[in-house]
Amino acid sequence: MKKIVFLIITSALIFLLPTLGSIVRWGGLPEGYGLFPAQEAGNDPGFNLTYFICASVVAAFILIFLLFPRLFGFKKVVAAPVVRQKVNFPYWFWGALPVLIICWIIMWTRAKIPVDLEPITSLPISFSLERYTFVPLWWSFICILDGIVYKRNNAISLLSIKPALMQVLAVVSCFSWFAFEYLNFFVMENWYYPNNHVMSDFGNIFWFSLSYTTVLPAIVEWYLLLKTFPRMRDRYTNGPRLKVNKGWLIALYIVGLVLSLLMGYFPYQLFWVLWVALVPLLSAAMGLTRLWTPFTPIREGNWSPILLIAIGTVLNGVFWEMWNFGSEWFKSGYPANPNYWKYSVPYLDKFHIFSEMPILGYFGYLFFGVNCWILWLTAAYIFKFNPNFELDGRQDETRGR
């Protein structure tokens, strides 16, 4: 019980400390606080070459680490041969494929296809389909990813053996992304939704809640898909062994607390803390209470879980940004779907490649994926459900010890 209480208190501090920092800085809550969906607030400092160069150096180091792990002490692992059965794509793959194509076309062309339900319901209900493409597009994409995992993994996938867990992932995903939306207020809205007037206030809350259910399931499916490639699965399994003692965990915990506080006080300079502070804070809290985290296997040199979830999130981020950008780019001039977002990133807003996201922003997805896994585990430990989404029977790796 003490472990869970400590985890709950730590989770509360994640929200309280940025609020306190903001109140000290501004004498109140930041501009735009409480507007949903978030709207552009304040004026960003603009591009800063020094900040950009520093961030580029960090990004280059991360890229070299991922591409050339043997430079950092990882040993080559000969992937064990995989016996693949002849498996067809499952029915949910084929059912999702046309849904994705249709929603993609409607989203990018913004074809105004009216739907009138009055003859059926006897109520004056009508709407245009282009506003409601985000949720079916992303859930169909999730089903397609799961179908590919199913085919490559000898008829074993999340939907085929753990469909109930997918539902829990969706629920936790919704609340987790609301947490990020809340923290976004304290970095002066790094992302915002200009089409907030497309729906009513209740419509925005309801529709965005459905939209947020897709985040964790998509990331987990990418992680499981990467594990079906033996060379990718084993690439980071034999690396340096890092065993962090209690003193280091306490230090990391304090760093997380300080970063969370300062994020509210320096919203522009420390905007990146939004994607970083959760990791040392919550993972250190779990480590201090001897709960499993994605960092736990690193004690034995296995970096694969933490790095594959990060890489999978970047890959998924490409689709997030591509579909989002195209929903505005190809037919500008009138509002796109309400989920369309733009970025207001200080210092780094340069070099956009078919994306609202600046190129260095993609490195933030690496940390975001780890954050998502940490939040998933936090929910699992507090509400006492089994968070294991592995498909290879390694139950002990995600249940905690």
Side-chain angles (χ1 to χ4, degrees), residues 68-192:
F68 307 102
R70 297 182 69 180
L71 294 177
F72 299 87
F74 287 81
K75 297 178 181 178
K76 186 176 182 180
V77 176
V78 179
V82 177
V83 179
R84 296 195 186 279
Q85 303 172 8
K86 186 177 182 180
V87 177
N88 295 323
F89 285 110
Y91 66 87
W92 55 87
F93 173 90
W94 295 112
L97 195 58
V99 175
L100 182 139
I101 293 172
I102 292 170
C103 289
W104 188 347
I105 292 172
I106 293 175
M107 176 184 282
W108 277 17
T109 63
R110 269 182 276 167
K112 289 186 173 295
I113 302 175
V115 177
D116 186 4
L117 298 180
E118 186 170 2
I120 301 173
T121 63
S122 298
L123 296 172
I125 300 175
S126 61
F127 56 88
S128 296
L129 281 180
E130 85 276 5
R131 298 182 180 181
Y132 305 96
T133 51
F134 186 93
V135 174
L137 181 143
W138 271 98
W139 270 112
S140 61
F141 185 58
I142 291 166
C143 290
I144 289 171
L145 288 174
D146 189 88
I148 299 173
V149 172
Y150 180 92
K151 181 176 176 59
R152 291 185 53 83
N153 201 41
N154 295 333
I156 298 175
S157 71
L158 202 58
L159 284 177
S160 68
I161 67 171
K162 297 182 179 181
L165 189 64
M166 179 70 85
Q167 298 174 38
V168 182
L169 271 168
V171 173
V172 175
S173 175
C174 176
F175 288 100
S176 296
W177 187 251
F178 267 114
F180 282 108
E181 291 286 352
Y182 178 78
L183 294 174
N184 185 35
F185 290 130
F186 299 101
V187 292
M188 307 304 287
E189 287 75 34
N190 278 183
W191 67 92
Y192 61 95

Side-chain angles (χ1 to χ4, degrees), residues 51-331:
Y51 205 106
F52 183 84
I53 291 174
C54 291
S56 297
V57 170
V58 174
F61 174 82
I62 294 173
L63 191 60
I64 292 170
F65 177 84
L66 294 175
L67 292 178
F68 307 102
R70 297 182 69 180
L71 294 177
F72 299 87
F74 287 81
K75 297 178 181 178
K76 186 176 182 180
V77 176
V78 179
V82 177
V83 179
R84 296 195 186 279
Q85 303 172 8
K86 186 177 182 180
V87 177
N88 295 323
F89 285 110
Y91 66 87
W92 55 87
F93 173 90
W94 295 112
L97 195 58
V99 175
L100 182 139
I101 293 172
I102 292 170
C103 289
W104 188 347
I105 292 172
I106 293 175
M107 176 184 282
W108 277 17
T109 63
R110 269 182 276 167
K112 289 186 173 295
I113 302 175
V115 177
D116 186 4
L117 298 180
E118 186 170 2
I120 301 173
T121 63
S122 298
L123 296 172
I125 300 175
S126 61
F127 56 88
S128 296
L129 281 180
E130 85 276 5
R131 298 182 180 181
Y132 305 96
T133 51
F134 186 93
V135 174
L137 181 143
W138 271 98
W139 270 112
S140 61
F141 185 58
I142 291 166
C143 290
I144 289 171
L145 288 174
D146 189 88
I148 299 173
V149 172
Y150 180 92
K151 181 176 176 59
R152 291 185 53 83
N153 201 41
N154 295 333
I156 298 175
S157 71
L158 202 58
L159 284 177
S160 68
I161 67 171
K162 297 182 179 181
L165 189 64
M166 179 70 85
Q167 298 174 38
V168 182
L169 271 168
V171 173
V172 175
S173 175
C174 176
F175 288 100
S176 296
W177 187 251
F178 267 114
F180 282 108
E181 291 286 352
Y182 178 78
L183 294 174
N184 185 35
F185 290 130
F186 299 101
V187 292
M188 307 304 287
E189 287 75 34
N190 278 183
W191 67 92
Y192 61 95
Y193 306 88
N195 298 323
N196 63 317
H197 56 282
V198 173
M199 293 183 175
S200 65
D201 290 342
F202 174 79
N204 279 325
I205 293 173
F206 178 77
W207 183 250
F208 276 79
S209 297
L210 290 179
S211 303
Y212 297 163
T213 64
T214 64
V215 179
L216 262 65
I219 291 173
V220 169
E221 289 290 359
W222 274 105
Y223 169 79
L224 296 175
L225 179 57
L226 289 176
K227 291 193 71 175
T228 66
F229 294 89
R231 292 184 63 181
M232 196 68 191
R233 180 195 63 209
D234 299 331
R235 182 178 179 83
Y236 307 107
T237 57
N238 193 4
R241 298 186 178 190
L242 298 182
K243 295 184 179 181
V244 181
N245 59 32
K246 187 176 181 180
W248 276 105
L249 289 173
I250 293 174
L252 286 172
Y253 188 83
I254 294 173
V255 167
L257 292 175
V258 172
L259 286 176
S260 296
L261 177 66
L262 293 181
M263 182 182 75
Y265 193 86
F266 299 107
Y268 296 122
Q269 296 88 340
L270 298 181
F271 72 92
W272 49 268
V273 170
L274 172 59
W275 309 113
V276 174
L278 289 179
V279 175
L281 191 53
L282 281 175
S283 59
M286 293 178 193
L288 287 168
T289 53
R290 297 182 181 276
L291 294 170
W292 189 92
T293 76
F295 294 97
T296 302
I298 295 178
R299 297 175 186 171
E300 305 302 325
N302 183 10
W303 295 62
S304 187
I306 199 76
L307 294 182
L308 290 189
I309 200 77
I311 295 170
T313 308
V314 175
L315 294 174
N316 197 66
V318 172
F319 287 87
W320 270 324
E321 301 301 336
M322 177 190 68
W323 280 323
N324 179 65
F325 184 78
S327 69
E328 169 68 20
W329 175 260
F330 288 108
K331 205 172 182 181

